[in-house]
Amino acid sequence: MIKKALCALPLALALVSTTSTAKAPEDILDELAAKSKSPYLTQSPQNRMMMPDNPAYDIAAEGEQLFKQKRGPKNASLEQCDFGKGPGVLKGAYVELPRYFSDTGKVMDFESRLVYCMKTLQGYTDNDPQIRQRHGNTDIMKLTTYIAMQSNGMPWNPPMNHPLEKAMRDAGEELFYRRAGPMDFNCATCHTNPSGTRIRASVLPNIKIPEEWTKAISWPAYRVGHEAVRSSQHRVLECLWQMRYPNLKPDSDVNIALISFWTDRARGQPAILPDMKR
Amino acid sequence: MLHKTPISAAVAAATLTLFTAGCTATGQVQPKATEAPAQVDYTKMKPQELAEYLVFQSGSYDLAQPTQEGTTGKDRLTQDELQKVCSQVARSGKEIDDKTAERINKMAMATIKYPEGGIKLGDWRKGRDIAWSGFGFRTAHNPDDHNRGTPGGNCYNCHQLAADRTGGTIGPSLTGYGKIRGSSPEMLKYAYEVIYNPHAYFACTQMPRSGAKGLLTQQQILDVMAYLFDPASPVNK
């Protein structure tokens, strides 16, 4: 089984390099903007201009090396990691997450699955910096950027075949509308307003407008203000911080439910990977 | 494992509880951060029930995290009556019905406490600082230290205020508010009440209950009102 997958790998990578040149992330954004005339999609001409030179590409190149390198206590690469489309298949895997995995009996988002592979294949544990350090210029962000890019331009398509996948998405929808905290915020407070609505100077994406929402959930994105590539889980954390909610643990089920729901709401729209955000 | 068929997924679903319980029992290593308590079956819960479970029992949030007001993360996530009703309204995607709106209005009005000395405008300069500050009560991964600053009112996030700076557009523009509305006692009382608890007039509004939730003191509300009403304030220039 391992041998078969290894033989298929060079082919898979060759496919990736041809498809990823087909349509650049900025072309996808331009098409969405032309179609929807959304102020959210066009709010930053500077970012749009910088997209061909997105610093995320250098980070992805480091991620590719990390992915193939034998590392960790078990001295193994991540090339046998199964992101849902079989061991080693990266193309299109990112846009089909979160999904149910029979080996863990759980719905996992991309990041929790990556961590699972780093633990099971490479032998890392929760105490290792490779697992603990999530945000910033970390291994996890390098790997995330490399792997996510292999789904650039593909439509979001998280599977809804397993009852747990539906359960997590539906719970995520409830969480999205659940008001709490000292300011009574839910996600809907800021993400269901008419297109073009702003929080101070930032244009807010509306979850009910799929062309806006696909950009909103296109993480990893290089955040110019942070000078770093950020993940979906990081964005959840940032919004919870504004909402005055307590800290959320990485890979937790609240994370996965919210990300299941938000990915479902961008279904069919092309992913912009990597993106560039304010 | 290579080929996931609907059949193998269904079998896995059927044996899920058994499977995860078996793993824990035999002490097999499972990644801690992604581990769900094996005793519950998410697919047997209604969406809202599961959402509540995820918030309070799945180990997702740091429920013990201390807050600036001396409570815990768990208290922050525990909904009061208004939050419960307004979540349902938001979730339904429909306009709030008149009966529910009236109930919320009444409930909100009952929370309002008035300054002992009456509603007198404070200092618009202080009010400007409060209106333009988003500091305070943030927790998550980077808690605000209230020893380092006074919590603000966040008004600018949702309202255009003075013309000299860019504010948000979730709420209506308040530029020229005092000039347009005047400063009659009735008007001042209304504005005080809206800032203290906006649900008294706008049931299930997006605007926070700054007075009722203890985010701003009565004096701070009077200062913010001065920023909105004082003819010398940039809001009315």
Side-chain angles (χ1 to χ4, degrees):
Chain A
M1 190 176 98
I2 289 172
K3 208 168 157 196
K4 208 165 109 193
L6 275 179
C7 294
L9 197 66
L11 184 74
L13 289 176
L15 275 173
V16 163
S17 47
T18 44
T19 46
S20 59
T21 49
K23 220 182 250 178
E26 57 270 25
D27 299 332
I28 299 162
L29 176 60
D30 287 349
E31 282 175 22
L32 287 166
K35 202 163 67 172
S36 71
K37 308 267 185 288
S38 151
Y40 169 67
L41 294 176
T42 50
Q43 71 171 313
S44 181
Q46 304 92 297
N47 282 4
R48 165 61 192 85
M49 242 158 60
M50 283 188 293
M51 279 177 82
D53 303 313
N54 194 336
Y57 290 122
D58 295 335
I59 291 158
E62 288 180 62
E64 179 170 12
Q65 286 194 346
L66 281 177
F67 184 77
K68 294 174 180 167
Q69 196 183 320
K70 290 194 169 68
R71 300 199 313 150
K74 291 189 179 173
N75 194 37
S77 81
L78 285 168
E79 285 159 311
Q80 285 301 308
C81 183
D82 182 354
F83 286 100
K85 295 175 80 77
V89 181
L90 300 185
K91 185 172 179 248
Y94 194 83
V95 286
E96 293 186 23
L97 288 164
R99 71 156 71 217
Y100 173 78
F101 288 91
S102 56
D103 52 8
T104 57
K106 283 179 57 71
V107 174
M108 302 170 94
D109 71 333
F110 170 78
E111 190 166 323
S112 53
R113 189 63 186 175
L114 173 61
V115 165
Y116 171 80
C117 284
M118 290 169 76
K119 287 176 173 177
T120 52
L121 298 178
Q122 298 184 309
Y124 288 118
T125 67
D126 281 324
N127 295 327
D128 289 318
Q130 287 82 356
I131 301 287
R132 234 180 337 114
Q133 293 170 2
R134 297 296 175 106
H135 310 303
N137 193 25
T138 59
D139 289 357
I140 286 191
M141 286 317 302
K142 290 171 187 169
L143 288 161
T144 301
T145 311
Y146 167 62
I147 297 164
M149 261 174 63
Q150 319 301 323
S151 295
N152 178 49
M154 297 180 192
W156 297 105
N157 188 25
M160 286 295 153
N161 304 318
H162 194 279
L164 268 176
E165 291 168 340
K166 291 198 189 90
M168 289 296 269
R169 177 202 55 191
D170 293 348
E173 180 164 17
E174 296 292 332
L175 293 172
F176 192 89
Y177 289 100
R178 187 182 191 278
R179 297 183 71 164
M183 295 187 180
D184 306 327
F185 288 152
N186 56 14
C187 311
T189 306
C190 298
H191 295 299
T192 54
N193 296 293
S195 185
T197 300
R198 285 182 283 105
I199 274 266
R200 54 198 140 78
S202 309
V203 182
L204 294 161
N206 182 336
I207 195 167
K208 294 177 178 170
I209 304 174
E211 290 85 2
E212 290 190 353
W213 201 247
T214 183
K215 177 172 165 64
I217 67 158
S218 286
W219 303 96
Y222 185 81
R223 280 204 61 187
V224 178
H226 295 196
E227 297 185 353
V229 172
R230 295 302 195 191
S231 64
S232 300
Q233 289 199 21
H234 188 270
R235 186 65 244 187
V236 171
L237 209 50
E238 277 188 297
C239 286
L240 294 179
W241 182 71
Q242 297 183 60
M243 293 164 83
R244 277 73 183 171
Y245 281 24
N247 208 7
L248 189 64
K249 290 172 196 151
D251 305 339
S252 59
D253 279 348
V254 164
N255 261 314
I256 294 168
L258 280 170
I259 293 171
S260 292
F261 173 61
W262 90 20
T263 310
D264 190 55
R265 282 304 186 265
R267 183 178 297 282
Q269 295 293 323
I272 306 167
L273 298 168
D275 192 20
M276 203 153 190
K277 289 185 170 77
R278 334 163 16 109
Chain B
M1 217 177 86
L2 254 174
H3 304 285
K4 278 217 182 60
T5 61
I7 295 167
S8 69
V11 171
T15 54
L16 170 67
T17 337
L18 200 72
F19 173 75
T20 41
C23 273
T24 332
T26 54
Q28 271 192 25
V29 187
Q30 267 199 332
K32 193 163 174 274
T34 56
E35 190 174 49
Q39 68 275 17
V40 297
D41 182 350
Y42 287 0
T43 64
K44 294 264 167 4
M45 295 174 166
K46 292 203 174 73
Q48 202 189 349
E49 197 186 336
L50 177 53
E52 295 303 308
Y53 180 88
L54 295 183
V55 170
F56 294 110
Q57 282 169 282
S58 69
S60 292
Y61 281 109
D62 181 358
L63 297 175
Q65 186 175 27
T67 67
Q68 290 87 353
E69 66 272 25
T71 63
T72 62
K74 186 176 180 187
D75 295 316
R76 287 268 180 104
L77 293 167
T78 304
Q79 293 177 300
D80 63 21
E81 179 63 14
L82 183 140
Q83 289 172 333
K84 278 184 196 160
V85 174
C86 294
S87 299
Q88 287 315 307
V89 171
R91 174 72 183 78
S92 77
K94 293 188 202 115
E95 286 288 309
I96 187 167
D97 66 84
D98 290 349
K99 236 178 94 189
T100 311
E102 207 176 297
R103 187 158 77 85
I104 293 284
N105 288 156
K106 275 205 189 111
M107 204 157 74
M109 201 53 109
T111 66
I112 299 175
K113 295 192 174 68
Y114 299 88
E116 272 179 26
I119 298 171
K120 299 202 181 86
L121 298 183
D123 179 341
W124 71 260
R125 288 188 177 79
K126 285 189 189 154
R128 178 181 56 191
D129 292 346
I130 296 163
W132 284 95
S133 166
F135 177 82
F137 297 102
R138 289 171 301 201
T139 40
H141 56 303
N142 189 16
D144 285 330
D145 179 355
H146 285 194
N147 295 320
R148 295 216 180 151
T150 313
N154 276 289
C155 319
Y156 76 108
N157 271 320
C158 298
H159 293 287
Q160 183 64 41
L161 297 162
D164 55 339
R165 290 163 85 177
T166 305
T169 55
I170 290 181
S173 168
L174 301 177
T175 306
Y177 197 68
K179 204 158 81 179
I180 296 162
R181 305 283 183 106
S183 304
S184 67
E186 295 74 30
M187 188 60 210
L188 296 189
K189 179 164 178 285
Y190 163 77
Y192 181 86
E193 288 168 342
V194 167
I195 299 168
Y196 199 99
N197 192 338
H199 298 267
Y201 294 94
F202 309 102
C204 294
T205 176
Q206 292 151 298
M207 177 164 156
R209 296 172 275 174
S210 295
K213 282 289 193 173
L215 304 172
L216 296 178
T217 64
Q218 295 182 352
Q219 187 54 51
Q220 284 179 306
I221 294 176
L222 296 174
D223 289 339
V224 172
M225 284 177 62
Y227 181 56
L228 296 182
F229 287 99
D230 196 318
S233 158
V235 167
N236 296 310
K237 289 286 166 196

